Amino acid sequence: MAEKTGPPGLKGYPNTYDPNFKGPVAKRSCTDVLCCIIFILFIIAYILLGLVAWIHGDPRRVVYPTDSKGHFCGQKGTPNENKTILFYFNLLSCTSPSVVVNLQCPTTQICVSKCPEKFLTYMEIEFAQKTSQNYWTYYSQFCKTPFGKPAKALAQLLLDDDCPTAIFPSKPFLQRCFPDFATNNGTLTVGNKTTFEDGSGRTRNAIELRTAANRVNKILDARAVGMKIFEDYATTWYWILIGLTIAMLLSCMFVILLRFIAGILFWVFMVGVIGIIGYGIWHCYQEYNNLQGRPNSHLSVYDLGIQTDISMYFQLKQTWLAFMIILCILEVFIILMLIFLRERIRISITLLKEGSKAIGYIPTTLIYPILTFTFISICIAYWAVIAIYLATSGVPIYKVIAPEGKCKHENTTCNPEIFNTTEIAKACPKAQCNFAFYGGKSLYHQYVPTFQMFNLFVFFWLINFVIALGQCALAGAFASYYWAFRKPDDIPPYPLFTAFGRAIRYHTGSLAFGSLLLALIQMFKIVLEYLDRRLKDAQNNISKFLQCCLKCCFWCLENVIKYFNRNAYVMIAIYGKNFCRSARDAFNLLMRNILKVAVMDKVTDFVLILGKILVAGCIGMLAFLLFTQRLPMIIEGPTSLNYYWVPLLTVIIGSYLVAHGFFSVYAMCIDTIFICFLEDLERNDGSTERPYYMSQSLLKILKEPTLRAKKQ
């Protein structure tokens, strides 16, 4: 008999099937060819976009600061080669509101070789140069074009804008000259002075100068924090690597032990996670109790505001109270899950054992996450490079900037070569024509924002395709294990390599189709987020509510698509059909076996998540004890850390990602085995002619409870 009809009364089951089916179909044809062609065309266009951006863009515009004429500071082969630092003529003018609007300070900016080291004004130089030419030689290096002596009057100098009216002690930061601020007995000073002359006959103080500097560079206050974090990483980098290595070994050990003592290991996961969270609750309570009575500890996060020094938040009782409440809720949630899901946990343990056997017979699957990580890293790097080159494409664009912000021509395009002879200069005497950004009026420059959107869209498509390729390859390998009647003798050689080759050769179009659906949804989410930020001030309560509803809907839709895509890739790996048919068959198969799906649910994923938390928690707890010098008798960790939480969070997040790489293989293995199990039940009846391919433990744990439920 060549073929049999499917089980009666099962809507959506294929009309015919091959009773001699023994695993993933070997003879296949290419699926979703049209989508494959479109995908390849998009990749070719993506490569061409990279080449065009590489021709027009210049990443040096990000690295080097740019003066008022659009010239780079420190660029080799130019007059500014030895002038690597940007100097502002009048930094005090940067308090103007136009700084926020135009992102440019309305003052002349030139490239210099070093920053000023002392207080001098142009008026002082006019008298001092009569006794010593050295004063003028030093001062003239901060002028546009050095000339022999200060022959111009101050009024003419301001009109021609050749030299700054005053200079003051500065230090280079981010290749820009910023005032040399210091604190003396709680008083802000610049060059050991609290007040100084601005060169125009006015006396200014250091606070005014600090305000102007903050307008130019918002991260000036974060300079100390950034340097301290860098120092912490330089001190603890080898400890971080040791922690990630231990996380990898611990994850690998858990994967091996799951094959032999899955039940015991599960309870180790439970007790370990509950214990780690319990320790976190106790520690938060101790910190909260220790802050009782300390000054300012009663303040709220709202009172503190946004601070660049994050450690200040840990000096508030409210912070530790919030952490303690969150951990308590998480602890109660896990305990309730254990109580209500105790029967399903027994099923999960059986599936974990079966998955451990499959991974044990195909150990190369544990290495596959490294390949996925490599592909994703390449995609991220290519996207970032194109984004930078596109952002730096074009020629210098100059805009009119007025210090007072009252010129009617402000923010209009201008030409610095002839600006002083135009009507704008006459109408607005204090206005300047300064460099604003890079752009152009050509067809290419007009479509740069569109190219950036295309870059982001193809990036999402490629990332989802890489993940889909990994899921399909792993599903094909684990399906080969399941449909081997005598394990491991009947498992074909190199199952992962074979499944990967089949996915690339025959099903690139199907994988691209599923990835395209996710990429479109993710792009819609990005557009919604962009509109939300742009229209934030103009929104009312109704529009905000609708915006939240849309975000929630797209989030749910994305997760539903991911779930169905995952099952569709399993069916593609087994039967080699196109994406839509595979998704339909997977959906019908799950709906026909809804009781088994309800029994399994996502308990196994819950168990694996607990395993990830346990790995990250164990490594994090050891890192916490090490970085806070609480293990001096056992091992001496790094001393004098500025912010111990920086390397601590790095170790915790890194350990979780390492564990996720190992356990994601497990999750794919269990999903594939479950799909194959359902197919096995519908194809076979356990007789000699049509025996089951599943193990007896899997048959007992998944089939018998369902049969009892049907009888009831």
Side-chain angles (χ1 to χ4, degrees):
M1 192 163 55
E3 54 186 23
K4 285 181 176 288
T5 58
L10 299 179
K11 185 178 179 181
Y13 193 82
N15 293 327
T16 61
Y17 69 95
D18 182 9
N20 297 318
F21 176 79
K22 296 186 183 301
V25 177
K27 295 183 179 180
R28 302 181 179 224
S29 59
C30 295
T31 56
D32 295 304
V33 178
L34 179 60
C35 192
C36 179
I37 295 173
I38 295 175
F39 182 60
I40 292 173
L41 291 176
F42 265 77
I43 292 178
I44 294 173
Y46 199 34
I47 295 173
L48 293 176
L49 176 62
L51 294 174
V52 173
W54 180 73
I55 294 172
H56 290 85
D58 191 348
R60 293 175 301 179
R61 295 168 181 171
V62 178
V63 178
Y64 298 107
T66 310
D67 64 13
S68 297
K69 294 186 176 182
H71 300 148
F72 297 140
C73 296
Q75 183 183 359
K76 293 183 178 180
T78 66
N80 291 332
E81 181 175 356
N82 297 322
K83 299 178 179 180
T84 59
I85 308 171
L86 189 68
F87 172 74
Y88 298 89
F89 268 26
N90 183 13
L91 193 63
L92 290 165
S93 65
C94 299
T95 55
S96 169
S98 63
V99 176
V100 179
V101 178
N102 302 314
L103 300 178
Q104 284 289 326
C105 181
T107 186
T108 301
Q109 302 160 36
I110 64 171
C111 300
V112 296
S113 57
K114 62 179 182 179
C115 295
E117 298 173 350
K118 47 189 171 183
F119 288 99
L120 282 175
T121 65
Y122 185 79
M123 296 180 66
E124 292 174 346
I125 292 298
E126 286 186 312
F127 295 100
Q129 66 93 24
K130 296 178 181 179
T131 59
S132 175
Q133 186 67 22
N134 294 334
Y135 284 98
W136 173 248
T137 303
Y138 179 82
Y139 195 89
S140 64
Q141 63 183 324
F142 303 107
C143 298
K144 286 183 180 179
T145 54
F147 42 92
K149 58 182 180 178
K152 296 183 179 181
L154 179 62
Q156 187 64 35
L157 180 79
L158 292 173
L159 184 63
D160 296 340
D161 198 32
D162 287 329
C163 294
T165 57
I167 60 175
F168 39 79
S170 305
K171 286 186 176 180
F173 175 61
L174 297 178
Q175 293 183 278
R176 290 163 175 81
C177 288
F178 283 103
D180 185 12
F181 292 113
T183 303
N184 187 8
N185 295 327
T187 303
L188 183 68
T189 64
V190 54
N192 295 325
K193 288 186 177 182
T194 57
T195 59
F196 57 92
E197 296 291 331
D198 67 353
S200 301
R202 297 178 59 187
T203 300
R204 300 296 187 99
N205 58 50
I207 296 178
E208 293 180 83
L209 196 59
R210 180 60 176 265
T211 304
N214 285 342
R215 282 294 184 102
V216 177
N217 196 337
K218 294 294 184 181
I219 66 172
L220 187 61
D221 287 335
R223 173 176 54 179
V225 177
M227 292 302 296
K228 290 178 181 179
I229 290 176
F230 179 78
E231 292 173 1
D232 289 342
Y233 275 126
T235 305
T236 60
W237 66 269
Y238 53 92
W239 291 107
I240 294 174
L241 290 180
I242 291 173
L244 297 181
T245 303
I246 296 174
M248 182 182 67
L249 296 176
L250 193 60
S251 302
C252 189
M253 184 186 72
F254 282 158
V255 168
I256 296 172
L257 291 177
L258 278 172
R259 181 176 181 182
F260 303 102
I261 52 171
I264 298 175
L265 203 60
F266 168 77
W267 291 112
V268 170
F269 284 175
M270 298 298 103
V271 175
V273 170
I274 292 173
I276 289 173
I277 296 176
Y279 173 79
I281 295 172
W282 176 81
H283 179 74
C284 291
Y285 173 76
Q286 288 291 107
E287 293 290 340
Y288 177 82
N289 193 45
N290 292 336
L291 289 173
Q292 295 284 359
R294 290 191 182 182
N296 299 326
S297 64
H298 64 282
L299 297 176
S300 65
V301 176
Y302 178 79
D303 295 329
L304 196 62
I306 300 176
Q307 299 291 331
T308 55
D309 188 356
I310 301 179
S311 62
M312 296 181 65
Y313 295 108
F314 294 108
Q315 299 174 12
L316 303 178
K317 292 194 300 182
Q318 186 187 67
T319 302
W320 294 106
L321 180 62
F323 285 160
M324 186 168 61
I325 293 173
I326 293 172
L327 290 177
C328 287
I329 294 174
L330 185 60
E331 185 90 326
V332 172
F333 173 76
I334 292 176
I335 293 174
L336 291 177
M337 289 285 285
L338 290 176
I339 295 173
F340 290 105
L341 299 177
R342 57 187 182 276
E343 288 298 326
R344 297 184 183 184
I345 288 172
R346 190 166 59 94
I347 300 173
S348 298
I349 292 173
T350 303
L351 285 170
L352 286 172
K353 290 180 178 178
E354 194 68 22
S356 298
K357 292 179 183 178
I359 293 175
Y361 290 135
I362 315 175
T364 51
T365 53
L366 290 176
I367 307 175
Y368 192 87
I370 299 176
L371 185 62
T372 300
F373 174 77
T374 303
F375 287 155
I376 290 177
S377 299
I378 293 172
C379 293
I380 293 174
Y382 190 76
W383 165 78
V385 168
I386 290 183
I388 291 174
Y389 272 90
L390 285 174
T392 57
S393 297
V395 296
I397 301 297
Y398 303 89
K399 296 283 188 177
V400 176
I401 298 177
E404 304 297 331
K406 298 179 180 179
C407 178
K408 65 178 181 179
H409 301 286
E410 187 175 15
N411 212 30
T412 58
T413 306
C414 59
N415 185 347
E417 302 296 334
I418 59 172
F419 179 73
N420 291 332
T421 62
T422 60
E423 295 296 328
I424 298 177
K426 297 178 182 178
C428 307
K430 295 184 179 181
Q432 296 181 1
C433 182
N434 285 356
F435 166 78
F437 55 86
Y438 291 96
K441 298 182 179 180
S442 66
L443 186 64
Y444 167 78
H445 296 107
Q446 291 176 6
Y447 283 95
V448 164
T450 305
F451 293 150
Q452 288 283 23
M453 293 295 291
F454 178 80
N455 180 30
L456 184 63
F457 171 71
V458 181
F459 167 71
F460 283 144
W461 198 355
L462 286 174
I463 290 292
N464 288 306
F465 177 82
V466 169
I467 296 173
L469 178 60
Q471 292 175 345
C472 190
L474 290 172
F478 293 128
S480 299
Y481 157 82
Y482 184 92
W483 294 107
F485 188 72
R486 292 174 298 178
K487 303 175 179 64
D489 297 334
D490 291 345
I491 298 177
Y494 311 112
L496 180 60
F497 179 79
T498 304
F500 181 83
R502 279 199 302 259
I504 287 290
R505 181 178 178 182
Y506 297 109
H507 308 303
T508 297
S510 298
L511 300 179
F513 192 179
S515 306
L516 176 62
L517 298 178
L518 279 176
L520 290 173
I521 294 173
Q522 290 164 352
M523 281 300 296
F524 277 119
K525 289 174 63 179
I526 293 293
V527 171
L528 281 177
E529 190 66 29
Y530 173 76
L531 292 176
D532 184 35
R533 291 181 180 275
R534 289 296 301 269
L535 304 176
K536 194 171 185 177
D537 297 333
Q539 288 179 343
N540 53 30
N541 292 331
I542 297 177
S543 62
K544 290 180 180 178
F545 174 75
L546 293 176
Q547 190 84 2
C548 291
C549 290
L550 284 174
K551 289 181 180 179
C552 182
C553 290
F554 275 107
W555 180 85
C556 294
L557 180 61
E558 182 180 5
N559 284 276
V560 169
I561 294 296
K562 284 182 178 179
Y563 176 74
F564 283 111
N565 279 7
R566 191 182 182 94
N567 293 318
Y569 298 148
V570 175
M571 300 299 282
I572 290 173
I574 297 174
Y575 295 108
K577 299 176 183 177
N578 61 42
F579 177 82
C580 292
R581 188 170 178 182
S582 297
R584 183 199 65 186
D585 291 345
F587 177 78
N588 290 334
L589 179 66
L590 295 174
M591 289 299 102
R592 290 196 302 269
N593 298 274
I594 191 65
L595 290 177
K596 299 182 184 67
V597 175
V599 168
M600 180 187 171
D601 201 30
K602 285 293 181 182
V603 180
T604 307
D605 289 343
F606 173 66
V607 174
L608 294 178
I609 289 174
L610 290 180
K612 300 173 192 176
I613 295 175
L614 179 61
V615 172
C618 289
I619 305 300
M621 188 167 60
L622 290 175
F624 172 75
L625 297 175
L626 183 68
F627 294 149
T628 55
Q629 297 295 309
R630 303 193 183 193
L631 295 174
M633 302 299 296
I634 302 175
I635 184 173
E636 185 177 355
T639 58
S640 66
L641 288 178
N642 299 297
Y643 308 113
Y644 72 86
W645 49 268
V646 173
L648 177 62
L649 288 179
T650 305
V651 169
I652 293 175
I653 296 173
S655 300
Y656 184 86
L657 293 177
V658 169
H660 176 73
F662 280 90
F663 287 110
S664 63
V665 175
Y666 241 107
M668 197 66 213
C669 177
I670 291 171
D671 286 351
T672 304
I673 289 176
F674 185 68
I675 292 288
C676 292
F677 167 81
L678 299 180
E679 284 283 302
D680 195 8
L681 281 182
E682 294 189 347
R683 288 182 170 278
N684 305 303
D685 54 12
S687 63
T688 306
E689 294 79 12
R690 295 166 59 185
Y692 289 125
Y693 285 79
M694 69 192 75
S695 64
Q696 291 300 315
S697 60
L698 195 62
L699 176 63
K700 182 179 179 180
I701 199 74
L702 282 177
K703 187 179 180 183
E704 291 182 2
T706 307
L707 292 177
R708 287 197 301 268
K710 286 183 178 180
K711 290 179 181 179
Q712 293 175 358

